[in-house]
Amino acid sequence: MRIGLVGTGRIGAFHASTLAGLDQVDEVVLTDAVPGAAETLAAEHGYGTAPDVDTLLGQVDGVVITTPTTTHAALLRQTVAAGLPTFCEKPVAMTLDESIELVDLVESSTVPVQIGFQRRFDTGYRRARDAVRSGDLGFVHTLRANTHDQAPPPAAYIPTSGGLFRDCSIHDFDIIRFVTGREVLSVYGVGANKGDDFFTEGGDVDTCAAVLTLDDDTVVTVSATRYNGAGHDVRLEVMGSAGTVGVGFDDSLAVRSAEDGVDYPRGPQKWSFMERFQPAYRRELGVFADLVAGRVSSPCTVRDGLQAFRIAEACELSRRRRARVDLAEIPDDSGTTGAGARSA
């Protein structure tokens, strides 16, 4: 099969390499709005190119969207209109209203769409999910999730990112739904800036946290920061009445013990999300190739993307209000309110 990829920036180049290494994929075809960008990457690695999106859509069996978030919605409309299975990096749109419109569009079509939440394909998170669903942990009462970047992105990225909750913590919100099988009822979000001025100037924060209450009264804490000099640190703890399981507690853990005689973790640390989740990205795109071939249904739907976005939206609203926000206040895909469909 031929897979088209739109957007050849950092994650686009990474995905192109992953796709090219899959047995199911015969050719990767690139296009980019930046003149020469696709051609330069293609020349280095032997990929094909197309001069524009419209031409690309006529040449491929499926499409991967890795452009800036501001362009996702328009591109997704194009690929759905063309009837092409699509992989789109999160989030599908910059706003809640547009996300809702896209859910309606995709669900009224027969085009399969997969959203890029790679943690669903990480071995540790999947084992945590199995532990919850098997009952091995007893009743689950508490989760702690964090996403701590080693260094901040460029200043130009912030105005188009959607903010720390929507850009970064949204991965935690999705994986909480995936691991627990539950929905979020309410949130209380906070944020602060101690780093570069461009976060404040862009209306964003460089560090945030939230307390979530799930629909079975499980309590969840989520934290994120752009400044974790010790390394890229992504973890989840799931605590139950009969046991606790953790994800991200290997020797790359970016934490130094203050206790005597402790030599764990031994390192080396990981420094980026691509390094941390490389195997998960490979599995994720392998499943997308199977989706294009018609062998599987979407493992992470546009509806799933909307539910994670709703949680992020509620957290940002809570941060600005300095008050708890119920998810029932955040519209769902029907234009009403409510938690929406639970993740499978």
Side-chain angles (χ1 to χ4, degrees), residues 84-323:
L84 289 170
T86 304
F87 176 97
C88 183
E89 277 297 342
K90 62 78 196 169
V92 295
M94 286 289 288
T95 68
L96 181 65
D97 286 345
E98 197 164 34
S99 298
I100 291 170
E101 290 173 12
L102 288 166
V103 168
D104 292 340
L105 173 69
V106 172
E107 291 190 347
S108 65
S109 78
T110 59
V111 178
V113 176
Q114 179 179 338
I115 305 304
F117 284 113
Q118 81 283 352
R119 295 185 195 182
R120 290 178 175 232
F121 301 89
D122 178 79
T123 299
Y125 284 107
R126 297 188 74 87
R127 286 176 178 165
R129 183 189 197 222
D130 292 343
V132 170
R133 300 201 172 191
S134 69
D136 287 350
L137 303 181
F139 64 82
V140 174
H141 52 76
T142 307
L143 282 81
R144 289 201 292 254
N146 65 261
T147 299
H148 298 163
D149 289 338
Q150 187 266 333
Y157 176 75
I158 298 305
T160 62
S161 71
L164 191 55
F165 281 121
R166 298 186 192 97
D167 178 56
C168 190
S169 296
I170 194 169
H171 282 287
D172 294 297
F173 302 147
D174 178 72
I175 207 63
I176 287 162
R177 294 182 68 246
F178 178 78
V179 167
T180 65
R182 313 303 307 188
E183 298 293 349
V184 175
L185 287 187
S186 67
V187 308
Y188 192 103
V190 297
N193 283 312
K194 288 190 172 183
D196 291 294
D197 290 340
F198 62 73
F199 289 102
T200 303
E201 292 165 358
D204 197 8
V205 293
D206 60 48
T207 301
C208 67
V211 177
L212 317 180
T213 302
L214 305 189
D215 58 9
D216 64 346
D217 287 333
T218 299
V219 176
V220 183
T221 59
V222 176
S223 67
T225 185
R226 301 292 193 183
Y227 293 94
N228 196 64
H232 188 72
D233 185 14
V234 177
R235 280 178 278 150
L236 176 70
E237 296 170 74
V238 184
M239 288 161 268
S241 59
T244 297
V245 65
V247 181
F249 290 85
D250 58 16
D251 277 328
S252 71
L253 180 66
V255 176
R256 179 168 53 95
S257 175
E259 305 292 340
D260 290 334
V262 177
D263 63 356
Y264 162 81
R266 295 180 177 86
Q269 285 75 30
K270 292 183 171 66
W271 301 104
S272 72
F273 63 89
M274 290 184 290
E275 183 183 4
R276 165 68 175 84
F277 288 109
Q278 186 176 41
Y281 280 118
R282 189 176 298 113
R283 294 186 195 102
E284 177 183 53
L285 289 176
V287 171
F288 176 64
D290 288 337
L291 183 71
V292 174
R295 289 189 285 266
V296 299
S297 57
S298 176
C300 189
T301 65
V302 179
R303 181 179 293 275
D304 287 317
L306 172 64
Q307 298 311 323
F309 194 92
R310 289 177 68 241
I311 300 166
E313 190 85 355
C315 287
E316 181 61 19
L317 184 60
S318 173
R319 179 182 78 83
R320 294 180 182 276
R321 285 183 181 174
R322 301 190 178 189

